Amino acid sequence: MSERRRRSADGGGQPPGDNGRPGGAGQDGPGPDGPGRRRPAGVRETAQQPRMTRAEMRKAAQRGGKRAGGAAAAGADDRGGKPGKPGKPGKKRFIDYPRFGKQGVRRWLPSWKQWLTGFLVFFATCVGGVWYAYASTTVPQIHDLVNDQNNIYYWADGSEMARKGETNRQIVELADISPNVQNAVIAAENATFRTDSGIDPVGMMRAVYNMATGGETQGASTITQQYVKNAYLSQDQTLSRKVREFFITLKVNQETEKNDILRDYLNVSWFGRGATGIQAASQAYYGIDAKDLDICQSAMLAGLLKGAALYDPTIAANKDRAVERWTWILNRMVTTKNATAEERAKCTAFPEPIPRKPPTNMNGEISYLVDTANKFMMSKDPTITQQSIDKGGYKIYTTFEKDKVDALKKAVDDVKGETLNVQKRPEKDNFVQFGAASVRPGDGAIVAIYGGDGVENQHFDNNADAKGVQVGSTFKPFVLAAAMQVGVQTAKDDKGQPKRINADSRYLSDDLSEIRKPDGSLVIGDDGKPYRQKNEDAGKRGYVSLRAAMQNSFNVPFVQLNQDVGGQNVANIAEAMGVRKESFADPKTPTFALGTSTVSPIRMADAYATLAASGKQADPYSVTKVEVKGTARPGFSKPELKQALEPAVADNVTDVLVNVAKNGTGSKSNALGRPVAGKTGTTDENKSAWWVGYTPQLATSVAMWREDPTKHERLSLNGTGGKDSVHGGDTPTDIFTRYMKAALANEKKMDFPTPQPVGTQVDSSGAPSTASPSSSPTMTETTAPTAPDPGAQQPTQPTNTQPACVPGVDCPGTVPTQAPTKTQPPTGGGGNGGGGSSPTCLIPGLCTTPQPTSSTASTGPAPSSTKPTKPTMSPSPTGGAQQGAAAP
């Protein structure tokens, strides 16, 4: 054996090299890598442990340090060794994480053993939790459930208004419930009820997912689940409630027979009309016991379980939906073998329920006040439903003021008593309806409503919140407000934007005038011919100011103005002022400006209150606080004010409406004895009549219409009260004035703000070039008049026999009685000439064509005694639709 190998095996050291340094070659001695290479001091070089090159060390490090030599050369090991010294093995950990001996990402990835262990621990925890929740769940007795309580409603001053929520529930045994009802409910709600486990996993997962993602909550629960929800839990659509429902359902399904579950479910379910349980529902809808219900009646009641507020057929809006569901349930009963085809065939006609029997404490206007408050609560708090309201336990503080509610009812009753006589005029004075509402400007509080004759007289619809009644010309102020704030597209300002106009702007008011789009093209009617708008009177009044047009409620100027502004812009302004978007008719129709929209009296009063508050709008509200078990519910604070219109715009519209009330179609309101503004409205064929008026303190709307309760169709008011036609300036204005006298008796008289200038005078196409009032209709002089002062009223010629202009209101252009005799240049008076000459237009585009004399023409706006105008259907001499949707 060589000396070198022998020394390596024995562990001996190297012989001393040059300079006496042990363990290595001298500086110039040969090494293993060849001559001239210096061996590191203190490192032995043997055949078993050759020295690694730097390249080898780098490769070893890249391979994760698998070679022992590389690890030793790199420094410390993973078990805590120090650089250059071998490390000692570390203590074994209970959970090897991060994993020992792994590098990079693998060090942090659990092993399959760790994955399996974690899953088993999680599964065991879930099983234990479910077992504990199931074991700790208790099911109370059915007779301890559904403890109905009263709801208490308070007036604005805090005094009690009404109590509602008398218990209407009677628990009966399954033997006392008709098998028809049992089968109908099972077919409609849960066809597999007799055999399922009580849980619908798919339906529950869908509901949980929808709640977690903020989606719409859905039903599809089993009868057992619905029973648990109705009996033991609230109606809150929350995740915690769903979890509780799951465990209670499991327990009930395990411990209770199916027949008992069905019995209890039918005893605690809500069917509407304040009825909880099938026995109460059977009496409320058909006046019989539950055991006597036939298959047709049973299918109708089973349909109510999907939502009585949506499927009660006695509510007009629900009738079609209720009949459709009734038919579906009957067919479903045959499909699921819960009824035979022969039994199904017996149901050919829908089983109409009997009239409702309201509690006596809901008589008069109380039921409508309660209805308004309930609807507002449900709109503000989604957790408050009609079912929860029927169960009771709420204290509701309202905005209604008792003295004003009583005054409004008295005003309606007094006018009805003086005007209507059903015995004398049964065909004309029957089915007359009134709806009214009163709102505080700048606040939104609804202080009074009139909803109808009372539930004791079988009138259940709340007329103050009526839908489907067209508002007529009470919509015209929205058009004027839009023109003042948005501007007309027919003229541009310095910035190229639509030009904002004022009430002195003049528009053509002639009956059967053609209507043009902003680009000058004709509006085409449904018959393909140019559309012509009709006024009630056939007069040719020429161009009148918008102030005069509003005063006399001419249709033509506002239909044209609506085109110039843009129907959608008008709708946007009306919506900002408080009108609901869903109330609008199609803004693209020519008659949109004439009130074809169907707005409730509450919303009309609120929109006009925006004008009274100088453009500040507040949503109408009827509830200030709701308490449940002594705790106030959130979300019932006073609505915030929004600046819907510029103050100058609102005040200028008010100024125009003050003139309507003082000198125009609403002159009956002068009896109020204080500043008042407002607008009348009468719809096509006289099917509704409105007055919406306001003072600085109060805005009130009054609507009147006729409706056949059996057919739910509008009837004409012509002949009502012995009058040929009923206009908004008649009965509605009379009711308004009587009510406001009483309502404002203790409040001081207040003036409206002085309007600041807004917009400029922008006349429609073809208007005379002067902004001044025109001269009299009959001219005897042949010389041209000098330009008049725009602000001065023109003197009346001795030969003029027509009514004088209303002071402060422009008169229309001159209508000469004969051909002029000599040519006159335009002098600011629109080309008025004398003698028999024909005028020559020296400035094209600024002259108008003389209009022929008409026996029905007048040159000034009609005085306040003039018959208010309303649109009618009339054939056009040149074609085009003639539908005038509304007038005063």
Side-chain angles (χ1 to χ4, degrees):
M1 181 181 296
S2 67
E3 183 67 20
R4 174 178 295 222
R5 293 178 63 84
R6 196 165 46 244
R7 287 178 180 176
S8 175
D10 296 338
Q14 293 276 3
D18 294 346
N19 301 326
R21 288 194 297 271
Q27 184 172 358
D28 300 323
D33 297 326
R37 301 285 295 182
R38 185 174 182 178
R39 188 165 54 245
V43 177
R44 293 186 306 164
E45 187 175 76
T46 66
Q48 290 84 1
Q49 189 179 19
R51 179 175 178 270
M52 296 179 65
T53 66
R54 293 181 179 178
E56 290 173 333
M57 293 173 66
R58 284 196 300 269
K59 291 179 180 180
Q62 292 172 357
R63 290 194 300 266
K66 292 183 179 180
R67 294 184 60 178
D77 67 5
D78 286 338
R79 295 183 181 272
K82 295 182 180 180
K85 294 183 180 181
K88 297 180 180 180
K91 293 183 179 180
K92 187 176 182 180
R93 293 177 293 177
F94 178 73
I95 299 177
D96 183 21
Y97 193 82
R99 297 169 65 191
F100 170 75
K102 304 296 181 183
Q103 300 296 323
V105 177
R106 296 182 62 195
R107 178 177 175 84
W108 300 97
L109 289 177
S111 67
W112 67 270
K113 294 180 180 179
Q114 290 172 331
W115 278 113
L116 179 61
T117 302
F119 172 76
L120 293 175
V121 170
F122 175 76
F123 181 77
T125 302
C126 291
V127 171
V130 170
W131 177 85
Y132 175 78
Y134 178 81
S136 60
T137 298
T138 58
V139 180
Q141 296 297 315
I142 182 65
H143 291 276
D144 297 332
L145 305 173
V146 196
N147 296 316
D148 294 337
Q149 304 176 56
N150 283 325
N151 293 319
I152 306 176
Y153 298 81
Y154 298 91
W155 294 105
D157 62 3
S159 59
E160 184 173 315
M161 179 175 74
R163 286 176 179 256
K164 185 181 180 183
E166 297 177 354
T167 300
N168 184 17
R169 177 172 62 90
Q170 179 183 353
I171 295 176
V172 293
E173 294 299 323
L174 195 64
D176 294 323
I177 301 175
S178 170
N180 293 313
V181 175
Q182 300 177 41
N183 293 331
V185 169
I186 290 174
E189 299 294 312
N190 184 191
T192 61
F193 168 72
R194 298 287 185 186
T195 57
D196 63 30
S197 61
I199 293 293
D200 177 13
V202 175
M204 289 198 68
M205 290 300 295
R206 181 173 59 247
V208 170
Y209 173 79
N210 287 338
M211 284 185 292
T213 57
E216 182 180 0
T217 58
Q218 295 181 354
S221 299
T222 65
I223 284 178
T224 308
Q225 287 176 277
Q226 293 182 52
Y227 160 62
V228 168
K229 180 179 66 176
N230 292 338
Y232 307 126
L233 305 171
S234 69
Q235 301 300 312
D236 295 345
Q237 295 291 343
T238 61
L239 184 60
S240 60
R241 205 269 293 160
K242 279 290 182 184
V243 172
R244 291 184 60 207
E245 175 187 316
F246 177 81
F247 290 118
I248 296 177
T249 300
L250 287 176
K251 192 112 179 183
V252 169
N253 193 71
Q254 289 292 325
E255 298 179 356
T256 311
E257 295 292 333
K258 288 288 187 178
N259 281 343
D260 294 338
I261 293 175
L262 181 61
R263 174 202 63 197
D264 295 344
Y265 170 66
L266 291 173
N267 277 314
V268 301
S269 294
W270 180 69
F271 289 85
R273 288 197 176 186
T276 300
I278 188 62
Q279 174 65 15
S282 180
Q283 288 288 345
Y285 285 93
Y286 292 110
I288 59 176
D289 290 331
K291 62 184 177 63
D292 299 323
L293 291 167
D294 60 30
I295 186 174
C296 307
Q297 296 165 334
S298 298
M300 198 289 291
L301 293 177
L304 297 174
L305 294 173
K306 189 174 177 66
L310 295 174
Y311 292 94
D312 181 352
T314 57
I315 301 174
N318 295 345
K319 184 62 179 291
D320 293 341
R321 184 166 46 237
V323 173
E324 181 180 358
R325 180 156 179 81
W326 172 76
T327 303
W328 179 85
I329 290 176
L330 288 172
N331 295 335
R332 179 72 174 164
M333 292 177 70
V334 177
T335 302
T336 58
K337 301 188 185 309
N338 283 287
T340 65
E342 291 74 16
E343 291 173 325
R344 162 62 180 100
K346 296 178 181 178
C347 300
T348 57
F350 184 78
E352 296 289 347
I354 62 176
R356 278 187 271 183
K357 299 176 181 178
T360 56
N361 63 342
M362 289 290 109
N363 289 347
E365 296 305 301
I366 298 299
S367 66
Y368 309 122
L369 299 173
V370 167
D371 174 75
T372 302
N374 288 347
K375 287 181 179 178
F376 181 79
M377 283 196 300
M378 289 187 286
S379 69
K380 297 293 287 185
D381 188 343
T383 65
I384 300 177
T385 64
Q386 188 61 56
Q387 182 174 355
S388 67
I389 291 174
D390 282 351
K391 286 187 175 181
Y394 293 95
K395 288 185 177 180
I396 301 101
Y397 296 83
T398 75
T399 60
F400 303 126
E401 300 179 21
K402 188 177 187 305
D403 60 332
K404 291 181 175 57
V405 172
D406 292 342
L408 185 54
K409 177 174 171 53
K410 184 177 187 303
V412 175
D413 290 345
D414 287 351
V415 172
K416 285 170 59 178
E418 298 169 11
T419 305
L420 305 180
N421 190 328
V422 178
Q423 288 73 30
K424 184 178 180 180
R425 293 178 293 271
E427 295 298 322
K428 298 297 183 181
D429 288 4
N430 204 7
F431 308 138
V432 178
Q433 302 288 330
F434 291 91
S438 200
V439 174
R440 290 277 185 196
D443 183 274
I446 307 172
V447 298
I449 62 171
Y450 179 85
D453 294 333
V455 293
E456 68 274 18
N457 295 315
Q458 298 301 307
H459 183 88
F460 298 101
D461 294 335
N462 184 356
N463 287 351
D465 195 30
K467 299 174 177 62
V469 182
Q470 293 183 343
V471 298
S473 286
T474 57
F475 202 83
K476 289 176 181 175
F478 303 139
V479 184
L480 181 60
M484 289 182 173
Q485 178 145 321
V486 178
V488 293
Q489 302 174 47
T490 53
K492 302 295 182 181
D493 60 17
D494 295 339
K495 297 180 181 180
Q497 299 298 314
K499 200 166 189 178
R500 300 168 63 175
I501 72 175
N502 60 29
D504 294 325
S505 302
R506 294 174 300 169
Y507 272 70
L508 183 64
S509 65
D510 289 351
D511 186 42
L512 294 175
S513 293
E514 292 178 340
I515 305 300
R516 296 183 179 273
K517 299 178 182 179
D519 62 5
S521 62
L522 291 171
V523 173
I524 303 302
D526 295 336
D527 58 359
K529 298 179 181 179
Y531 177 85
R532 291 178 178 270
Q533 180 57 51
K534 182 173 178 55
N535 295 320
E536 182 182 19
D537 295 335
K540 301 290 184 180
R541 300 174 180 83
Y543 287 85
V544 300
S545 69
L546 293 175
R547 182 186 303 274
M550 188 77 76
Q551 173 184 328
N552 297 284
S553 201
F554 298 151
N555 292 332
V556 173
F558 287 98
V559 172
Q560 183 60 63
L561 182 61
N562 180 73
Q563 288 290 323
D564 294 349
V565 176
Q568 189 57 55
N569 290 329
V570 173
N572 294 341
I573 288 293
E575 184 179 359
M577 292 174 64
V579 178
R580 285 186 174 275
K581 187 175 183 179
E582 54 267 27
S583 303
F584 292 132
D586 185 356
K588 295 187 293 293
T589 58
T591 55
F592 181 66
L594 302 182
T596 54
S597 300
T598 56
V599 189
S600 71
I602 290 176
R603 283 289 171 170
M604 285 303 293
D606 182 69
Y608 273 53
T610 300
L611 297 172
S614 294
K616 294 184 178 67
Q617 190 271 338
D619 290 335
Y621 68 101
S622 57
V623 175
T624 58
K625 184 170 66 173
V626 176
E627 289 185 354
V628 182
K629 297 180 180 179
T631 303
R633 301 284 296 183
F636 290 93
S637 57
K638 185 180 296 187
E640 296 181 0
L641 284 176
K642 295 165 285 188
Q643 194 71 44
L645 295 176
E646 294 179 9
V649 171
D651 294 342
N652 272 272
V653 175
T654 292
D655 186 56
V656 171
L657 298 184
V658 167
N659 185 59
V660 173
K662 184 176 182 180
N663 303 312
T665 56
S667 58
K668 277 192 175 182
S669 63
N670 289 330
L672 184 58
R674 62 172 67 215
V676 60
K679 184 69 185 74
T680 54
T682 307
T683 59
D684 194 23
E685 298 180 14
N686 215 201
K687 289 186 177 180
S688 64
W690 288 74
W691 167 261
V692 187
Y694 55 96
T695 66
Q697 302 102 316
L698 208 57
T700 301
S701 64
V702 180
M704 175 183 180
W705 68 92
R706 289 183 68 213
E707 180 179 355
D708 185 341
T710 60
K711 299 179 181 179
H712 298 288
E713 63 180 26
R714 301 281 186 265
L715 305 173
S716 176
L717 288 168
N718 291 335
T720 300
K723 301 178 181 178
D724 292 339
S725 62
V726 177
H727 298 274
D730 295 330
T731 304
T733 307
D734 191 8
I735 292 174
F736 166 89
T737 305
R738 298 189 189 202
Y739 159 69
M740 294 288 276
K741 275 185 178 180
L744 300 175
N746 297 322
E747 298 191 33
K748 65 179 182 179
K749 296 181 180 179
M750 294 180 63
D751 290 324
F752 292 107
T754 300
Q756 299 300 312
V758 65
T760 58
Q761 178 176 334
V762 180
D763 297 337
S764 66
S765 175
S769 59
T770 179
S772 67
S774 61
S775 54
S776 61
T778 303
M779 300 293 294
T780 58
E781 298 180 354
T782 60
T783 58
T786 58
D789 180 1
Q793 181 178 346
Q794 297 300 301
T796 303
Q797 299 294 332
T799 56
N800 181 17
T801 59
Q802 300 295 327
C805 298
V806 177
V809 180
D810 291 343
C811 296
T814 302
V815 181
T817 58
Q818 60 181 2
T821 58
K822 71 177 183 176
T823 300
Q824 294 288 345
T827 57
N832 294 334
S837 64
S838 176
T840 300
C841 183
L842 299 182
I843 306 178
L846 296 181
C847 303
T848 58
T849 302
Q851 302 178 34
T853 304
S854 171
S855 60
T856 58
S858 64
T859 61
S864 59
S865 60
T866 301
K867 181 180 179 181
T869 61
K870 67 178 181 69
T872 57
M873 296 294 294
S874 173
S876 168
T878 60
Q882 303 306 318
Q883 192 168 5

